[in-house]
Amino acid sequence: MNKDLSDEHLLQYSRQIMLPQIDVLGQQKLLSSHVLMLGVGGLGCPALIYLATSGIGKITIVDPDIIETSNLQRQVLFGVEDIGRYKVDVARERLEQLNTQTKISTFTYIPKDGELTCLIDAADVVIDGTDNFEARYRHDRFCLKSKTPLISGAVIRFEGQVTIFDHRNEDSPCYHCLYPQGEDQELNCSENGVLGPVAGIIATTMATEAVKLIINVGELLSGRLLLIDALHMEFRTVRLQRDPECLVCAKS
């Protein structure tokens, strides 16, 4: 059910409400929405900032990791004083400072299958900011089963990509269509490096797509993969199609 906007809401979100594509009804949808964020790293941190300040009503955050010095270059919710603490604990504190109206739930462990199913079922959209293929494959399978839209992003070196696997649509490709399991090559920033601002570009794109999806405006990156080459500052999109022989979604 949509929430009525208080005078405080009208003032806080006035610049968004001014947009005809959002207006009061769109802001009510945001305040009534629930986003599940998987991973609070270089992608999760910037995305969470903009989700909270946009007025998402509830955010659930999952990440078992502890803050390390090497995280600070791109994980913008954290400071030097936070080293050694759980990422989700610090993220909750920072987000509550940014928006006291957003309800934050956190998990300092990786949920088992049953609990992950419940978390995904309860969310309007899932954002995957994890940095390994096995986690992404797992999240995609559960979102597919739940028919919950999954926004997936990745960043490495000067490059990044974003897409939406809109599992509400039976014709939507899944993550396995893009990267068939067994054919992936594990890449991560700890071994290959990453430019911090590039993570911010990808993360804010993911947050933008989440807002658009919740209020149902514009053209989403569903069935399209946005590729960013920041070294040459080039953006392009390629079409994604469902693989009729996909070992995951073809059997759904």
Side-chain angles (χ1 to χ4, degrees), residues 53-107:
T53 55
S54 294
I56 300 299
K58 181 178 181 180
I59 301 175
T60 300
I61 312 171
V62 178
D63 195 313
D65 290 345
I66 301 295
I67 298 167
E68 301 176 354
T69 302
S70 61
N71 300 148
L72 305 183
Q73 167 250 3
R74 64 203 175 281
Q75 300 181 17
V76 293
L77 282 171
F78 313 137
V80 174
E81 68 279 7
D82 302 315
I83 293 172
R85 299 183 61 194
Y86 280 111
K87 290 183 177 182
V88 295
D89 290 343
V90 178
R92 182 182 63 246
E93 293 174 5
R94 301 289 190 272
L95 296 175
E96 288 174 346
Q97 291 172 354
L98 289 171
N99 191 347
T100 59
Q101 300 169 3
T102 297
K103 181 179 179 181
I104 309 294
S105 300
T106 60
F107 290 81

Side-chain angles (χ1 to χ4, degrees), residues 97-170:
Q97 291 172 354
L98 289 171
N99 191 347
T100 59
Q101 300 169 3
T102 297
K103 181 179 179 181
I104 309 294
S105 300
T106 60
F107 290 81
T108 58
Y109 58 90
I110 298 175
K112 294 184 178 180
D113 290 357
E115 191 170 24
L116 181 61
T117 296
C118 293
L119 290 175
I120 291 175
D121 285 344
D124 296 298
V125 58
V126 176
I127 300 181
D128 192 337
T130 56
D131 62 356
N132 68 86
F133 277 102
E134 284 306 314
R136 293 173 189 167
Y137 286 133
R138 180 175 184 245
H139 300 154
D140 181 62
R141 289 194 298 269
F142 279 88
C143 285
L144 177 64
K145 182 179 179 180
S146 178
K147 300 188 183 301
T148 301
L150 172 66
I151 300 177
S152 179
V155 62
I156 195 77
R157 304 186 185 101
F158 289 87
E159 301 172 358
Q161 64 181 45
V162 189
T163 190
I164 298 178
F165 302 108
D166 193 349
H167 295 307
R168 301 171 301 179
N169 180 355
E170 293 184 355

Side-chain angles (χ1 to χ4, degrees), residues 50-51 247:
Y50 283 98
L51 291 170
L247 297 178

